[in-house]
Amino acid sequence: MPTLPITLAVITRNEAACIARCLDSVPFAAEKLVVDSGSDDDTVAIAQAHGARVVHQDWLGFGPQRNFATTQCSHDWILALDADESLSPELAAELERTLPALMAGDAPAAWLRRRTIYMGRPMRWYRPSVGEKLARLYHRGRARWSDARVHESLRFEGDAPTFDAPFDHANNPTLVHKQLKVLRYAELKCRDWLDKGKPARMWQAPFVYLLAFLKDYVFRLACLDGWRGFVIAQTAASYALYKRMRYYEMVSNPPSVAEATDALNRHHIER
């Protein structure tokens, strides 16, 4: 397949199980770049075997890590995927067909639609998992990632087109993976709050849990996906509650910040 002057950029740590699928799903990229933050499995070797150039960078947080990756790319146009994401064949064909015109224009970025695979099969109704729009294709001179440690977003001005076909997200192969990720993500988010001096308002905690559950289960239609929808809504609400509890602990017991970081590292809980 002919290549296009675009870089596929993936940030990794211990992603041996899925990095090959991610890289192979973008056959038209002239460059495949993996920024690894210290994998101790076969991630680096597999990435190299599948055509990627691998650069090491100690973990900076999601936004800063993606911005670092941007500086390492050889091309101005960049497609950013997570290791557990991959283009569907339909989206790969759509991008190959339409990217030349997009890259010749002055658009800052483009929106892609993400389809989530949860508990082994796609979600059918839950709105964030069915056609969720994410800005993942961008020109590095016209867009930049936010500096958030977690839940980063691509910042740009101007109109951006949206592609129709989806890319796939193999979201947390088990609930164990999800709970481990919750611990890491909550820690990163609370560190952002700590840096900003956000007040710890524990009185909000019960309402946060209830509203988060209702938002996902009812208004985002998780209820229509059966028990999988219930699990998603409950997990999201628990995450919202745990963040508040953990942040309260950080504020009231500052040594817990370093102690928790050490515990996460000793138990190899990845980002």
Side-chain angles (χ1 to χ4, degrees):
M1 180 180 292
T3 60
L4 297 172
I6 186 172
T7 296
L8 166 64
V10 188
I11 56 176
T12 62
R13 188 166 189 263
N14 291 344
E15 302 285 3
C18 52
I19 186 62
R21 179 179 64 243
C22 175
L23 295 172
D24 291 348
S25 73
V26 194
F28 55 82
E31 179 185 45
K32 298 177 182 182
L33 172 72
V34 167
V35 175
D36 188 79
S37 56
S39 293
D40 53 19
D41 63 3
D42 293 330
T43 298
V44 171
I46 294 172
Q48 292 172 334
H50 286 260
R53 175 169 61 90
V54 180
V55 175
H56 174 82
Q57 172 59 52
D58 290 341
W59 185 243
L60 303 171
F62 279 94
Q65 195 82 353
R66 291 198 194 276
N67 281 325
F68 172 82
T70 296
T71 69
Q72 302 301 301
C73 295
S74 300
H75 301 285
D76 286 335
W77 278 96
I78 299 167
L79 171 63
L81 293 179
D82 290 338
D84 61 356
E85 297 172 341
S86 58
L87 300 189
S88 65
E90 296 79 11
L91 180 56
E94 184 180 1
L95 289 172
E96 186 188 9
R97 184 177 65 253
T98 58
L99 273 178
L102 174 68
M103 297 164 66
D106 57 1
W111 298 95
L112 305 182
R113 299 185 184 275
R114 185 168 72 174
R115 174 175 59 194
T116 296
I117 312 299
Y118 189 70
M119 291 188 173
R121 60 190 193 275
M123 299 296 288
R124 297 181 58 198
W125 294 97
Y126 179 52
R127 302 321 302 163
S129 297
V130 182
E132 178 186 17
K133 286 177 61 175
L134 298 171
R136 292 294 190 84
L137 180 64
Y138 62 101
H139 187 289
R140 63 179 170 187
R142 305 167 193 160
R144 185 181 187 278
W145 293 96
S146 65
D147 289 323
R149 288 188 177 96
V150 69
H151 304 316
E152 75 288 4
S153 60
L154 190 66
R155 305 291 178 80
F156 58 88
E157 295 181 357
D159 295 331
T162 301
F163 288 90
D164 294 325
F167 70 102
D168 290 327
H169 179 208
N171 184 30
N172 304 305
T174 71
L175 284 176
V176 173
H177 290 79
K178 176 61 176 179
Q179 293 306 313
L180 294 176
K181 183 179 286 187
V182 162
L183 290 175
R184 175 64 74 182
Y185 278 28
E187 202 70 14
L188 294 171
K189 189 63 177 178
C190 290
R191 290 289 296 273
D192 278 347
W193 288 347
L194 199 63
D195 290 346
K196 296 175 182 177
K198 178 178 178 177
R201 300 187 176 102
M202 271 299 290
W203 63 269
Q204 296 178 343
F207 306 102
V208 165
Y209 179 89
L210 179 61
L211 292 174
F213 182 85
L214 289 175
K215 179 180 71 174
D216 278 357
Y217 194 65
V218 178
F219 299 108
R220 290 180 168 179
L221 304 183
C223 58
L224 298 180
D225 273 305
W227 285 115
R228 290 188 305 149
F230 175 84
V231 172
I232 275 190
Q234 194 281 333
T235 303
S238 295
Y239 171 60
L241 175 61
Y242 175 76
K243 281 188 298 185
R244 271 73 182 180
M245 295 189 301
R246 176 66 184 121
Y247 184 61
Y248 172 76
E249 182 182 34
M250 283 185 175
V251 172
S252 61
N253 181 26
S256 72
V257 176
E259 292 169 355
T261 298
D262 180 63
L264 291 171
N265 290 336
R266 281 189 290 108
H267 289 84
H268 303 289
I269 296 176
E270 312 300 344
R271 58 166 185 79

